[in-house]
Amino acid sequence: MNTVGFIFDLDGVIVDTAKYHFLAWKNLANSLGIDFSKEQNEQLKGVSRIRSLEKILGWGNKTISQEKFEALLDEKNEEYLRYIESMDESEILPDVPRILNLLLENNSPIALGSASKNARAILKKVDLIDKFNAIVDGNDVTKAKPDPEVFTNAAEKIKVIPNKCVVFEDSVAGIQAAKKANMLAIGIGEKDILHEADHIFKSFEEISSEFITKLMKN
Ligand code: BG6
Ligand code: MG
C-alpha cells in the first residue's frame, strides 16, 4: 500500500505547551536548589516525566527516596495542569489547522505520537481530538523517546508501514525516535538543535501546502 501516514508530536508541535513544561520543571529544580537552563530544558523535550526528573536530579547530584520522587512527579504535574487549565484553541500553534485540514481533505491517515500522559485532555481542550485517526501517548508506551515505540505503535494503529510515515517533532529525542523507527523526520524548531532531522522548519508557517502534497505522494 502506498498511503503515507502523518504522525504529530503534541507539546511544542501542535500546541504551545513546551513553555509550561519548562516553567514547571524550572520551579521544581530551583526548589531543590538545582539550576535549570534553557539548554538543559532542550534535553527534556519529548522525554517522559520520570526520565526528566531523573535527569534533573542527576544534574544537581541529588539522591532522594522513592517516596519523595513520586511526590515531586505529582507536584510537577499539578503545576503543569494549573497552567493548562484555561487552555483553548488560541494555543494551537500557527498553521497547524491548515496542515491538518489539508491532510484530512486528502484522506491521509493522521496519528498523534506524544510522550505526554495529558495528551488526550489537551487535544480535547483545543478541540482537535476529532482530527486524529489514532492517538498514542505516554499512557500507551513502555519505552519513552528516543525509543521508537511511540511512533511504531502509531504507525500500526493507522496501518501504515514505518518507511511511509512522516513525523513532525520539536525535540531531539523525538527526532531520534523517528529516525530509529525508519520514518521521515521533520523538525519544527531551530536548525542547530534539530540537525538530525531530514527537514527543519521554524514553524508550520514555513511549510507550504505543495511540500505536504509532495510528501503525500512519496
Ligand atoms: C512531552 C514533553 O511531550 O511529554 C515533555 O515534551 C514531557 O516535556 C513529556 O515531560 C511527558 O508529559 P506529561 O504531560 O505526561 O508530564
Ligand atoms: Mg514536543
Side-chain angles (χ1 to χ4, degrees):
M1 200 164 74
N2 276 325
T3 310
V4 174
F6 292 82
I7 307 176
F8 291 77
D9 172 48
L10 176 71
D11 296 309
V13 168
I14 290 179
V15 281
D16 199 8
T17 42
K19 62 185 182 201
Y20 299 138
H21 282 294
F22 170 68
L23 279 177
W25 282 130
K26 185 171 167 52
N27 287 340
L28 183 138
N30 293 166
S31 76
L32 296 169
I34 303 171
D35 287 337
F36 185 69
S37 66
K38 285 252 176 198
E39 288 68 35
Q40 284 167 317
N41 186 56
E42 284 305 325
Q43 297 179 48
L44 299 192
K45 282 187 181 172
V47 172
S48 71
R49 204 181 302 168
I50 292 178
R51 186 74 196 110
S52 299
L53 183 52
E54 284 170 354
K55 277 178 174 263
I56 291 172
L57 294 172
W59 290 327
N61 271 321
K62 280 224 183 288
T63 335
I64 56 171
S65 67
Q66 187 58 30
E67 214 178 8
K68 173 85 175 155
F69 189 90
E70 302 288 340
L72 288 175
L73 287 180
D74 287 346
E75 222 175 84
K76 187 270 171 179
N77 195 47
E78 277 159 25
E79 181 172 345
Y80 178 70
L81 291 177
R82 281 198 295 278
Y83 290 133
I84 63 166
E85 204 171 39
S86 54
M87 226 179 137
D88 60 20
E89 285 99 321
S90 66
E91 300 217 36
I92 298 173
L93 284 162
D95 276 17
V96 167
R98 172 176 63 86
I99 304 291
L100 287 175
N101 289 335
L102 179 64
L103 296 174
L104 283 166
E105 279 160 24
N106 287 278
N107 297 315
S108 295
I110 308 176
L112 189 87
S114 168
S116 174
K117 294 188 170 174
N118 298 302
R120 284 176 172 84
I122 291 174
L123 281 182
K124 278 185 199 152
K125 269 185 183 294
V126 299
D127 203 19
L128 286 180
I129 198 148
D130 295 338
K131 309 253 184 210
F132 290 83
N133 302 109
I135 291 175
V136 180
D137 69 13
N139 300 295
D140 307 312
V141 291
T142 52
K143 287 174 252 142
K145 300 171 188 175
D147 189 280
E149 184 184 4
V150 63
F151 294 138
T152 47
N153 279 7
E156 264 172 41
K157 279 200 178 183
I158 53 174
K159 300 188 170 59
V160 178
I161 53 171
N163 70 6
K164 288 277 174 196
C165 286
V166 176
V167 172
F168 296 100
E169 255 295 345
D170 72 319
S171 72
V172 175
I175 297 289
Q176 290 170 343
K179 294 314 300 169
K180 279 188 206 158
N182 202 17
M183 298 176 180
L184 188 84
I186 302 197
I188 304 292
E190 299 300 326
K191 281 203 164 63
D192 51 343
I193 295 171
L194 304 177
H195 52 84
E196 291 171 67
D198 297 298
H199 302 272
I200 306 161
F201 300 94
K202 272 214 168 75
S203 81
F204 282 102
E205 288 167 296
E206 277 190 0
I207 305 184
S208 69
S209 299
E210 290 71 33
F211 179 79
I212 298 291
T213 308
K214 252 192 220 157
L215 291 178
M216 285 175 198
K217 292 179 184 150
N218 165 31

